[in-house]
Amino acid sequence: MKRGLYLVTPDLDDSARLLDISRTAIRGGATVLQYRHKTAAAALRLKQARALRALTHELGISLIINDDLPLALQVAADGLHIGREDGELAAVLAAAPGLPVGVSCYNDFERARTAHAGGAAYVAFGAMYASLTKPQAPSAPIDLIRRAKQELGANVACIGGITAANAAPLVAAGADWIAVITDIYQAADPQAQAAKIAALFR
């Protein structure tokens, strides 16, 4: 996975709109797309994941599936992302050898240490800022990024309330990926908004 802007999809049932915004954001410079839809039925999730798999293949970026290993395998995704409620990392890695798995670590450095030691492809911290998607999420200090890079040598993603206007300090701290939902998918110009964040990695 190439460092940079890490798109995370919103809970959007309109597949055509989801594909259209995702395409323009990837053209703006996104390097990773995570398919995440917490409320969709299985059939819609499969339809959307397949469409995004085709899109990410076409445009040459990585597709990550959120918390659904069978779906990740079914669409031949490039990786899986799991949180606290999505099973143990060791079990996932045993079930899908070779599949990169990222782990949500919230504001918990010891969880990141354990995940990294257990073979996580990356650790993810957040919420870095107040999040519209998860307003109750605990705040994660930027120093977690520096510690994970310096003490663990881990690949680090961060998420939560991140916008083109506040992403720069996270990149400066060493973040490999900046995960964004609202600031891209609700932007008047998703391509331009994505380009602003992508430019921070150049």
Side-chain angles (χ1 to χ4, degrees), residues 5-38:
L5 170 59
Y6 183 132
L7 294 175
V8 180
T9 62
D11 289 346
L12 185 59
D13 290 346
D14 185 337
S15 298
R17 179 167 170 75
L18 177 69
L19 269 281
D20 181 57
I21 297 173
S22 298
R23 179 181 293 276
T24 59
I26 294 167
R27 286 177 171 161
T31 62
V32 181
L33 184 146
Q34 181 191 125
Y35 176 59
R36 177 184 184 277
H37 195 324
K38 292 291 192 180

Side-chain angles (χ1 to χ4, degrees), residues 6 34 64-68 79-83 86 100-104 122-124:
Y6 183 132
Q34 181 191 125
I64 307 298
I65 299 295
N66 185 70
D67 80 10
D68 189 335
L80 178 75
H81 185 91
I82 61 172
D86 303 323
V101 180
V103 177
S104 288
Y122 64 86
V123 297

Side-chain angles (χ1 to χ4, degrees), residues 59-85:
L59 298 181
I61 76 162
S62 300
L63 174 69
I64 307 298
I65 299 295
N66 185 70
D67 80 10
D68 189 335
L69 177 57
L71 181 61
L73 296 175
Q74 196 166 4
V75 301
D78 300 301
L80 178 75
H81 185 91
I82 61 172
R84 194 177 279 127
E85 311 301 326

Side-chain angles (χ1 to χ4, degrees), residues 127 129-137 160-163 181-183 186:
Y129 305 110
S131 170
L132 293 175
T133 304
K134 292 187 175 182
Q136 306 305 319
I162 303 172
T163 69
I181 306 173
T182 305
D183 196 52
Q186 293 187 11

